[in-house]
């Protein structure tokens, strides 16, 4: 039977609030091969684990720091110090109008979860390796390098620096670096000279996720260009499989085309 790599997206996020230390610990206990972490920078240049650039969808920032939002009504992590973010409490993801985005997930009337730093996550994962004898890898996405660049920050270099400080900078380390931003990954490999395994994420052009042309990246030419600097691709499942009109599952040619370029596929 083919072995699949299990990547715990934002930790065990179906069971506990995403990207918390608790969700990462549960994912490790459920024997995930890798724990996926999105990271952004705070105002005082600390890397924290957060899926969005802003805090309002998963914390009580609006009630604690009312008036600190930007014109788009979001409370951006980069506008807050770590000390301020430490005062926040994390809850399950909410919609802009205050309803649970995923109603069947974890509920608690008590504010018991907090935003974690990348350093805390690394300590947790390394500590669990020592105490259990089982290693879970780290699967990192520096969020929106283009946004951070406009703010005068280099989130990719910060992530690589923190990994290196923790002894995680070699190809055989159980670490992947992923991004939707093709230029950022190219720079990580060529200018910053990382030896880590790199994954080009593939989204949809209408997401506005980066300047990358995701339609082009799914072509033979695009995949060949990815193979010049990256080790694999991370497409969305609909880009690989889709239901046919007759109820069968249709499989695209993307996986086969990626494998022909020597790229692995982490959907």
């Amino acid at each position: 039977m083919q072995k699949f790599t299990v990547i715990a997206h934002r930790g065990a996020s179906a069971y506990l609030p995403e990207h918390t230390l608790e969700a990462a610990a549960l994912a490790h206990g459920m024997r995930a091969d890798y724990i996926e972490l999105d990271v952004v920078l705070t105002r005082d240049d600390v890397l924290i684990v957060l899926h969005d650039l802003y805090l309002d969808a998963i914390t009580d920032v609006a009630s604690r720091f009312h008036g600190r939002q930007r014109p788009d009504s979001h409370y951006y992590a980069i506008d807050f110090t770590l000390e301020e973010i430490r005062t926040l409490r994390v809850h399950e993801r909410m919609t802009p109008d205050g309803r649970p985005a995923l109603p069947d997930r974890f509920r608690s009337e008590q504010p018991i979860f907090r935003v974690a730093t990348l350093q805390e996550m690394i300590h947790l994962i390394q500590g669990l390796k020592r105490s259990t004898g089982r290693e879970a890898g780290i699967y990192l996405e520096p969020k929106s390098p283009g946004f951070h660049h406009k703010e005068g920050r280099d989130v990719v270099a910060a992530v690589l620096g923190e990994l290196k400080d923790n002894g995680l900078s070699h190809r055989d380390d159980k670490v992947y670096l992923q991004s939707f931003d093709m230029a950022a990954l190219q720079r990580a490999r060529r200018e910053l000279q990382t030896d880590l395994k790199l994954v080009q994420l593939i989204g949809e052009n209408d997401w506005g996720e980066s300047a990358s042309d995701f339609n082009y990246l799914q072509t033979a030419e695009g995949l060949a260009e990815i193979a010049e600097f990256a080790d694999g691709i991370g497409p969305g499942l609909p880009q690989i499989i889709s239901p046919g009109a007759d109820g069968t599952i249709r499989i695209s040619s993307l996986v086969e085309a990626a494998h022909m370029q020597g790229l692995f596929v982490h959907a």
Side-chain angles (χ1 to χ4, degrees), residues 116-183:
T117 67
L118 175 57
Q119 186 61 68
E120 289 169 339
M121 281 289 186
I122 293 173
H123 283 324
L124 174 71
I125 294 168
Q126 291 180 336
L128 286 169
K129 177 184 176 181
R130 286 190 293 271
S131 63
T132 68
R134 181 182 172 277
E135 181 178 17
I138 299 172
Y139 214 114
L140 273 172
E141 181 184 350
K143 292 297 289 188
S144 301
F147 168 85
H148 281 90
H149 178 73
K150 290 177 182 177
E151 298 287 323
R153 314 296 179 83
D154 191 341
V155 69
V156 176
V159 166
L160 291 175
E162 190 145 316
L163 289 172
K164 185 176 181 180
D165 290 345
N166 286 275
L168 300 169
S169 60
H170 301 291
R171 191 163 192 77
D172 56 356
D173 291 324
K174 204 170 178 181
V175 178
Y176 288 96
L177 191 77
Q178 62 178 345
S179 181
F180 287 101
D181 191 323
M182 183 175 181

Side-chain angles (χ1 to χ4, degrees), residues 18-34:
E18 64 185 58
H19 280 331
T20 56
L21 291 169
E22 292 86 351
L26 181 57
H28 187 284
M30 297 175 77
R31 306 188 69 79
D33 297 305
Y34 287 86

